[in-house]
Amino acid sequence: MTLPVKNMGFPMVLLKLAEWFLYKLLANSFYKAAMKVQNSGFFFKNSSFRSSHQTPLYPNISKCNNLHSRKSETFACDVQYTLLRSESFFPYFMLIAFEGGSILRALFLLLSSPLLLVLDFEAKLRVMVFITFCGMKIKDVECVGRAVLPKFFLENLNVHVYQVMKSAGTRMVFTSVPRVMVEGFLKEYLSVDCVKGTELHSVGNYFSGFLSSSGILIKHRALKELLGEKKPDIGIGNSTLHDHLFLSLCKEAYVVNKEDEKANTTTSSSILPREEYPKPLVFHDGRLAFLPTPLATLAMFMWLPIGILLAIFRILIGICLPYKIAVFLGKLSGIRLRVKGTDPPRSKNGKGVLYVCTHRTLLDPVFLSTSLGKPLTAVTYSLSKMSEILAPIKTVRLTRSRSKDGQAMQRLLSEGDLVVCPEGTTCREPYLLRFSSLFAELADEIVPVAMNTNVSMFYGTTASGLKCLDPIFFLMNPRPCYTVEILGKLPKELTCAGGKSSHEVANYIQRQLGAALGFECTNLTRKDKYLMLAGNEGVVEDQNSRINNPN
């Protein structure tokens, strides 16, 4: 474009310059930017530019039927706001930052949330990746992906999308979310055959905090690279231009409609029931008992100073004050203690009563002793020095040598009442692990006790963290709840003295306690728990076959 200035007045020259500026700098730039975004598939929030007045190009996922005849078909979808109901992936970055990193890293990520609101999708993802992963060990992230995230993913599954996925024979997931965050869950729990996600740059055994040279994954490009001209039989996405490009490569396509999903959020049909989980969620790790959205995480950080002081107060009243006063002040501080049943009368054989408890936290014996209003001795396989010092009751460590532990427990029973947790380790979920049968050989006066807990902010157990902080985290909850149900004394004919084997006694008590709590009995052990949560072997094989199969 030329700008002839001869015979023009000065105002006309300025007008022509302004016209040229608008055309060359703005119009051309916006056009090129729009074409670049269209080709790359990235707009702003949720990788898309939404047009509310356009008619959807694809039917809603609820229209997908004939799910019983799709075993030979190929399925493809995304994770964010497709397989999972939530639009934001911030809570899952926060879980990695808090559980795999540190509380300081989690605070930095929280402080970045106002900035994330004004950034486009690509910039937002890069910022979250940098804060979350910079300097973090690869094995720590993998541990969080294996032990922490699956619980939150399962609770957030889109039921309709999952049912379609389950019906297909070959399952593929394409997502702009970092692959390391979702691959373990998708393959272990949902049996996904192929996971394509954004790759992260690493240096040695650490993440650098940057994306790899391939950048953010573009779903339709990744699909083309993987399958070429072949098309998946079923594709599911959301109502965005980016996903429309992806869905156009599928033979049969459906969308997750935002308005329909919001309408169904409060209904029970939108949440996958636990009994329909693809694999039983028996074990999981981490401290956070809530999905850490920005507001929920902010509330946690605001509560922390109060929670620490409250935990110290609760510990002190448990150590220093008599039972009745401690219970009264504990209830005033927010602790809910629910006691069912009564302590059966003690026999006159001179030996103590053996209380057999389910194991929810290290505080089980303490709350039982408080509920009964009498001192008890607790035996445990692993207890930190701090926990021993803070414990208001006598604690004795076991050695895992059957003969030595049996002798020690016999001696303690001759001195008074004893508490044992035969599961050998804690379990948060509504399952009971296999009971060790040693206790059944030592006493005829056996009282089963069903213990359960409920927390809203922090779990009081960990497999890979600092176990010495377990009681403190539990007592930092605003209103922690302990339920203690004392069952009747085991009849003599059901004990070893009545002719039963120790395994029969242990299994009977496990079933009795499971029925009282509404928990499921398993044949899983302490070893199984730590292989999954702290080891390198992932989910325990053939776990489904071991549910409902005690010895």
Side-chain angles (χ1 to χ4, degrees):
M1 180 179 178
T2 58
L3 293 174
V5 295
K6 192 180 288 185
N7 301 323
M8 282 189 182
F10 185 69
M12 289 299 295
V13 173
L14 289 179
L15 185 61
K16 289 292 183 181
L17 283 172
E19 180 184 353
W20 176 84
F21 174 80
L22 289 172
Y23 173 78
K24 295 294 288 185
L25 185 61
L26 297 182
N28 252 357
S29 298
F30 278 135
Y31 175 76
K32 289 179 181 179
M35 292 303 296
K36 183 178 180 181
V37 170
Q38 181 178 352
N39 291 332
S40 65
F42 283 98
F43 284 88
F44 299 104
K45 187 175 180 181
N46 302 318
S47 323
S48 67
F49 172 78
R50 302 181 184 273
S51 179
S52 59
H53 53 271
Q54 287 184 350
T55 303
L57 297 179
Y58 301 100
N60 189 273
I61 182 61
S62 60
K63 304 295 184 182
C64 184
N65 48 30
N66 298 325
L67 300 184
H68 300 291
S69 58
R70 296 183 179 272
K71 287 299 181 183
S72 61
E73 296 185 350
T74 303
F75 172 91
C77 76
D78 193 355
V79 173
Q80 188 177 7
Y81 198 57
T82 302
L83 188 58
L84 301 182
R85 299 195 313 271
S86 61
E87 277 189 273
S88 173
F89 227 75
F90 177 91
Y92 307 107
F93 280 94
M94 179 59 73
L95 284 167
I96 292 179
F98 187 90
E99 307 289 6
S102 65
I103 194 169
L104 189 60
R105 186 187 293 267
L107 179 60
F108 284 149
L109 184 58
L110 176 64
L111 293 176
S112 74
S113 57
L115 174 64
L116 299 177
L117 293 175
V118 300
L119 294 178
D120 63 41
F121 177 79
E122 182 172 352
K124 183 189 302 184
L125 183 60
R126 289 181 181 274
V127 170
M128 289 195 293
V129 165
F130 182 80
I131 297 174
T132 302
F133 291 96
C134 181
M136 190 177 291
K137 289 184 178 179
I138 295 176
K139 68 175 184 179
D140 290 340
V141 175
E142 292 174 345
C143 182
V144 175
R146 180 179 63 249
V148 178
L149 291 180
K151 171 183 171 62
F152 295 94
F153 285 151
L154 286 170
E155 291 176 348
N156 199 27
L157 271 182
N158 185 308
V159 176
H160 299 111
V161 178
Y162 167 68
Q163 288 172 344
V164 177
M165 170 184 273
K166 186 172 64 171
S167 70
T170 303
R171 307 166 188 180
M172 299 180 293
V173 171
F174 300 85
T175 181
S176 55
V177 172
R179 177 186 54 80
V180 70
M181 294 179 66
V182 297
E183 184 175 41
F185 165 73
L186 292 172
K187 289 191 172 182
E188 295 291 344
Y189 280 85
L190 303 186
S191 301
V192 173
D193 301 285
C194 177
V195 179
K196 295 291 183 180
T198 297
E199 299 293 339
L200 303 183
H201 180 262
S202 61
V203 179
N205 296 322
Y206 295 84
F207 286 111
S208 66
F210 298 100
L211 306 185
S212 68
S213 57
S214 58
I216 296 177
L217 180 129
I218 312 301
K219 287 187 287 188
H220 63 275
R221 288 183 181 175
L223 179 59
K224 288 281 288 183
E225 290 173 3
L226 181 66
L227 299 182
E229 296 303 316
K230 187 178 178 181
K231 293 185 176 184
D233 296 292
I234 314 169
I236 301 179
N238 53 58
S239 303
T240 67
L241 176 60
H242 182 203
D243 272 26
H244 284 173
L245 295 172
F246 169 72
L247 294 175
S248 66
L249 302 175
C250 303
K251 296 179 182 177
E252 185 180 347
Y254 300 91
V255 295
V256 176
N257 186 275
K258 182 177 180 181
E259 286 69 26
D260 291 345
E261 289 302 315
K262 280 189 174 181
N264 293 329
T265 299
T266 57
T267 64
S268 57
S269 61
S270 67
I271 300 173
L272 188 68
R274 175 180 289 273
E275 57 270 17
E276 294 183 19
Y277 282 0
K279 284 190 177 182
L281 182 69
V282 181
F283 301 124
H284 69 90
D285 206 11
R287 291 292 189 189
L288 297 183
F290 63 96
L291 185 67
T293 61
L295 287 178
T297 308
L298 177 62
M300 179 199 72
F301 275 102
M302 294 175 66
W303 173 257
L304 273 178
I306 302 172
I308 293 172
L309 294 176
L310 196 57
I312 294 172
F313 171 75
R314 289 166 172 171
I315 290 171
L316 290 177
I317 63 175
I319 295 175
C320 304
L321 299 178
Y323 294 116
K324 291 185 178 180
I325 299 177
V327 169
F328 175 73
L329 292 179
K331 288 183 177 180
L332 287 181
S333 73
I335 295 178
R336 294 172 291 168
L337 178 60
R338 299 169 180 170
V339 183
K340 302 177 183 178
T342 57
D343 191 19
R346 185 171 177 174
S347 65
K348 299 179 181 179
N349 62 4
K351 293 183 68 175
V353 175
L354 181 61
Y355 294 94
V356 179
C357 300
T358 54
H359 202 4
R360 310 310 282 177
T361 76
L362 292 176
L363 295 172
D364 294 333
V366 175
F367 275 92
L368 177 60
S369 176
T370 303
S371 302
L372 298 175
K374 65 179 182 181
L376 300 173
T377 300
V379 290
T380 179
Y381 287 109
S382 59
L383 195 67
S384 67
K385 285 290 184 182
M386 179 183 292
S387 297
E388 283 186 302
I389 294 171
L390 296 178
I393 63 174
K394 181 181 178 181
T395 59
V396 176
R397 292 192 189 189
L398 299 179
T399 62
R400 297 194 186 277
S401 167
R402 193 176 182 86
S403 58
K404 291 181 180 180
D405 293 342
Q407 293 173 5
M409 292 171 68
Q410 285 279 22
R411 176 178 54 81
L412 293 170
L413 277 170
S414 65
E415 298 173 358
D417 297 334
L418 188 64
V419 183
V420 63
C421 299
E423 289 176 276
T425 188
T426 56
C427 183
R428 301 172 180 174
E429 296 301 307
Y431 296 93
L432 293 184
L433 307 186
R434 188 177 72 191
F435 277 27
S436 169
S437 61
L438 175 60
F439 74 90
E441 303 172 5
L442 307 176
D444 301 329
E445 300 286 323
I446 300 175
V447 178
V449 182
M451 312 283 289
N452 198 14
T453 60
N454 184 38
V455 296
S456 58
M457 192 170 287
F458 302 111
Y459 286 115
T461 60
T462 182
S464 55
L466 293 174
K467 293 193 70 64
C468 61
L469 298 179
D470 284 1
I472 296 175
F473 269 102
F474 178 84
L475 295 173
M476 283 171 57
N477 281 285
R479 288 181 59 80
C481 178
Y482 239 103
T483 301
V484 180
E485 184 175 357
I486 304 167
L487 307 183
K489 186 183 295 184
L490 200 67
K492 186 175 181 180
E493 60 269 19
L494 294 177
T495 67
C496 291
K500 298 292 184 181
S501 70
S502 60
H503 289 289
E504 288 176 321
V505 175
N507 289 335
Y508 173 79
I509 293 178
Q510 184 197 34
R511 290 192 296 268
Q512 190 181 24
L513 291 173
L517 293 168
F519 288 1
E520 201 166 348
C521 295
T522 79
N523 197 30
L524 299 169
T525 66
R526 175 186 180 275
K527 181 179 179 181
D528 293 322
K529 171 183 172 179
Y530 281 88
L531 278 173
M532 178 178 174
L533 300 185
N536 299 313
E537 297 184 27
V539 178
V540 179
E541 294 182 2
D542 297 326
Q543 193 179 57
N544 275 310
S545 63
R546 303 174 73 175
I547 301 296
N548 283 326
N549 185 31
N551 284 340

